[in-house]
Structure formats: C-alpha cells, structure tokens
Amino acid sequence: MYFAALLARTEDGWEASDTELDDVETLSDLADLAREASPDEDTVLVLIEQEDGWFGVVRVDGEEDPRIYVSDAAAAARSSYGEILLTDELLGREPGDDGADLDALDLDGTEDGEPDDDADDTDAAADAGAAGAVPHGPVGDAQVLEDLGVSEKELRSMTQDAVNEIAEALGASEVLETVR
C-alpha cells in the first residue's frame, strides 16, 4: 500500500492534493505533475510513502531539476513507484549502466554448445551483477527540506509515518489530512 501527495507552497501557505502515480513512468513525468500543481512556479513537494517500507521526497522548484531523497533505496527498488525516483544519477551510476551486459553472460552454463567446466565464469557473472546493486539505506539529497525547517538529521531519523512528520514540521499537517 502506498500514499502519494503533492504539497504546493503558495502565498497563503501549503496546499495539498493527493495524486495517483499510475500514469507516471519517469521522474520527468513526476516533475511535470508537480509543476502543474503550482502555476506560479512555487516549491512543490511530492511525498511518497510505502507502508512499512520506505518514503521519498521529491522537491520541484520551478523549472529547476528535481531534488530527491529516498529513505531506503533497496526497499524502494522493489516498488514500481520507487523505481521512478531511483535514477542512475541518484544511485551514482552512468546512464544506461544496469549492471552486467546480458549478452556477455553465459546464463545457461554452456558456450557454443559445450559444457562449462570453469567456475570462474560464474563468479565473474555474479560480480558483474553486483555492480548494479541498489544500496540499502538512504540515497539522495538529505538536505532537500533544510530551508523549510526539516534538518538532514531529522529527515534521516524518520521511518514510519514520515509523511505526516514532514507535513507537521512544515506546518502542513492539516491540509495533508484533507487528502489522506
């Protein structure tokens, strides 16, 4: 179960709207959705929470690139919504570097129809797959909410109910409750 909400900062305070992410396939789609929530190019936060698993914060300030924080990359990688946030850049990988080159791997244990007696190839394949591994724990910009009153230390210490804790720290808990 997941929950996603947009918090848009306006002259009158925070405005919240719950959002469906079913049509969002990329981080660019998500950033466009956030920008639509604030025609004045104000700060918009996308808060995503997967129950008992992870949470993510995406901050969009006008046309700037989105800033992202994910509490547990490995847990988020198992979620279709988390995969949207876990870009190559966020994970420190070169674009398109998804780990091992599948054409180079000997997946059936044979090469040119011959049995493979050399176990070293198996170890090399395992090492190549590990290169694309997603780290356990937080990734991204832990200072994404610093200027809004949520310190890096506070953000990193949040676990369950993080979305509510963030909204409370921002003074937006009442508006968030209206969409929960």
Side-chain angles (χ1 to χ4, degrees):
M1 173 106 178
Y2 83 96
F3 172 73
L6 295 173
L7 285 178
R9 189 166 73 174
T10 67
E11 291 177 7
D12 301 326
W14 291 98
E15 291 182 8
S17 56
D18 105 26
T19 187
E20 283 295 319
L21 300 179
D22 295 340
D23 295 332
V24 174
E25 295 180 7
T26 65
L27 181 60
S28 180
D29 293 343
L30 186 60
D32 290 344
L33 183 70
R35 287 183 184 105
E36 289 172 14
S38 177
D40 296 329
E41 296 190 5
D42 293 320
T43 297
V44 178
L45 302 176
V46 181
L47 304 175
I48 302 173
E49 182 176 70
Q50 178 118 22
E51 191 172 295
D52 298 329
W54 63 276
F55 71 92
V57 177
V58 178
R59 178 177 179 161
V60 177
D61 293 302
E63 291 300 317
E64 292 181 27
D65 288 340
R67 295 171 56 195
I68 306 164
Y69 174 80
V70 176
S71 67
D72 185 339
R78 295 187 295 272
S79 159
S80 58
Y81 303 113
E83 288 179 346
I84 293 168
L85 306 181
L86 297 175
T87 62
D88 288 334
E89 182 181 344
L90 189 70
L91 296 173
R93 299 189 297 218
E94 290 296 318
D97 180 16
D98 294 329
D101 177 6
L102 293 181
D103 293 334
L105 295 179
D106 182 15
L107 298 176
D108 65 357
T110 63
E111 185 174 320
D112 299 326
E114 296 296 319
D116 186 8
D117 296 328
D118 190 4
D120 290 56
D121 288 344
T122 305
D123 294 338
D127 291 343
V134 176
H136 289 275
V139 296
D141 183 355
Q143 296 176 350
V144 66
L145 302 174
E146 192 94 23
D147 64 322
L148 299 174
V150 180
S151 71
E152 177 178 349
K153 183 179 178 182
E154 289 171 313
L155 190 62
R156 288 185 185 270
S157 68
M158 293 179 184
T159 54
Q160 293 179 352
D161 207 29
V163 168
N164 284 334
E165 291 178 43
I166 291 168
E168 189 173 313
L170 299 175
S173 56
E174 287 182 23
V175 294
L176 183 66
E177 273 309 306
T178 63
V179 297
R180 211 176 239 287

